[in-house]
Amino acid sequence: MDNENSLLSIADPSRPNAGRIYDYLLGGHHNFEVDRQAAEHLLAIAPFMPKQLIMIRWFLGEAVRRLIEEGYDKFVDFASGLPTMDHIHEMAPSGTRILYSDIDPVTVEYAQEIIGSNPNIRFVECDAGKPETLLESKVLEILFGSDRKVAIGFNGICYFLSDDVLAHSFKALYQWAAPGSKLFLCDADADPEQTTDNLKLVFDLYAKIGQPIYNRTKERLMEMAAPWQLDDPGLLSLDEWIGMGQSARVEAVEAWGGSEKGFYGVILKK
Ligand SMILES: C[S@@+](CC[C@H](N)C(=O)[O-])C[C@H]1O[C@@H](n2cnc3c(N)ncnc32)[C@H](O)[C@@H]1O
């Protein structure tokens, strides 16, 4: 990592971090040696993981493309990770207002460097479990004015939030957003009662690095998200979203040990 030394004051380089593991698996360079070691461990358990993570980004790109076509020009995004690899501002026309956020200060620091001085884009630190801190922030007010009809990204984060925290986030977003707002998200459809041995190894790894994973089925997530309503094209697996056929999912399902579940994406509306 370039500038590694300058980041030591805001990050603990002795502890792997989920966001930087994700960056490494996507082929990025914003990670420490401990992150790379944890990622390699994950790859040994789940070699198809990078493909799944890239599919999350492709879903995000497809959802953003649709939302832009519908006229959305303001995006607030939680747990954004690094804004590279087809993230929102790379898909949106210039002039689109985008407020990215993440809980990891290293991600935020690097993201700000990547974005540079574009006045329509900001990247700030925020816990997706406490979205009100961002929704009520000065930076949001400056970027969006009083307009609250926005598209909200919540991708690759629900499984890092407990039921209580996630329910709070969905509610806070719904209460804040104006009618007509959209919430686009992807998550893993995982039944806590049917965890395979392979999956348990992955969960153990995340628990060890202090980022426990909370499993829930897509039906449970939709119950928790109410009164957000399902929007077109419905709740689909990632390969359906990106028109890839089912090969990637079949590969993952076989490797996970026969579960029919996997990552899915959905757009919800208020
Ligand atoms: C799987 S990545 C998702 C990145 C991006 N949203 C995407 O879909 O490609 C998960 C991100 O969530 C961040 N994260 C983990 N817990 C968080 C929390 N409570 N609040 C905000 N971000 C969090 C991590 O730092 C990481 O950048």
Side-chain angles (χ1 to χ4, degrees):
M1 176 190 275
D2 296 338
N3 302 329
E4 195 156 309
N5 288 337
S6 68
L7 290 170
L8 297 184
S9 57
I10 55 168
D12 179 353
S14 65
R15 279 172 67 90
N17 167 278
R20 300 193 306 263
I21 292 174
Y22 182 66
D23 172 65
Y24 178 75
L25 293 174
L26 278 177
H29 303 288
H30 302 98
N31 42 71
F32 295 119
E33 182 55 30
V34 282
D35 305 315
R36 297 188 279 276
Q37 279 174 12
E40 286 298 337
H41 190 62
L42 196 56
L43 278 175
I45 308 164
F48 54 88
M49 203 75 171
K51 199 185 275 181
Q52 294 287 305
L53 297 180
I54 286 169
M55 286 170 67
I56 293 181
R57 268 303 153 86
W58 287 347
F59 157 73
L60 187 146
E62 175 59 18
V64 168
R65 190 188 63 73
R66 285 170 184 256
L67 291 163
I68 285 165
E69 260 180 33
E70 289 174 28
Y72 289 87
D73 60 0
K74 295 182 184 69
F75 287 78
V76 54
D77 191 57
F78 292 89
S80 306
L82 284 170
T84 54
M85 306 273 300
D86 296 341
H87 220 315
I88 301 171
H89 72 286
E90 294 179 316
M91 312 295 295
S94 67
T96 307
R97 308 280 170 110
I98 304 164
L99 181 51
Y100 289 115
S101 61
D102 199 279
I103 202 170
D104 174 37
V106 175
T107 299
V108 175
E109 179 93 2
Y110 270 106
Q112 287 171 346
E113 265 180 36
I114 291 165
I115 284 163
S117 58
N118 188 330
N120 294 321
I121 310 175
R122 286 285 176 277
F123 201 120
V124 298
E125 203 173 316
C126 174
D127 181 348
K130 296 176 189 149
E132 57 277 18
T133 61
L134 186 60
L135 301 174
E136 289 159 13
S137 67
K138 196 79 193 157
V139 63
L140 182 140
E141 194 187 318
I142 292 168
L143 208 54
F144 294 171
S146 57
D147 193 356
R148 292 182 171 199
K149 187 182 164 195
V150 302
I152 303 168
F154 218 78
N155 296 285
I157 176 65
C158 296
Y159 44 70
F160 288 146
L161 303 179
S162 69
D163 275 14
D164 285 353
V165 173
L166 181 59
H168 167 79
S169 297
F170 282 146
K171 192 170 166 196
L173 293 169
Y174 192 84
Q175 284 175 343
W176 175 85
S181 294
K182 301 265 174 114
L183 173 63
F184 60 107
L185 65 87
C186 76
D187 195 36
D189 181 21
D191 186 340
E193 304 298 319
Q194 293 184 13
T195 304
T196 62
D197 290 345
N198 255 354
L199 266 177
K200 275 190 200 130
L201 292 174
V202 174
F203 299 153
D204 286 352
L205 187 140
Y206 276 96
K208 265 189 206 139
I209 67 168
Q211 180 88 72
I213 289 182
Y214 299 90
N215 288 308
R216 53 182 73 85
T217 61
K218 57 182 189 287
E219 291 80 12
R220 172 78 184 126
L221 182 128
M222 289 300 289
E223 270 170 30
M224 292 173 65
W228 286 101
Q229 301 274 313
L230 193 61
D231 195 18
D232 291 337
L235 191 153
L236 304 175
S237 65
L238 294 188
D239 40 38
E240 289 170 313
W241 265 97
I242 59 185
M244 268 184 66
Q246 301 215 336
S247 61
R249 181 148 55 104
V250 168
E251 187 186 0
V253 161
E254 282 170 358
W256 287 128
S259 158
E260 266 308 316
K261 299 184 180 298
F263 284 100
Y264 62 91
V266 66
I267 300 179
L268 304 172
K269 65 184 170 194
K270 176 169 176 179

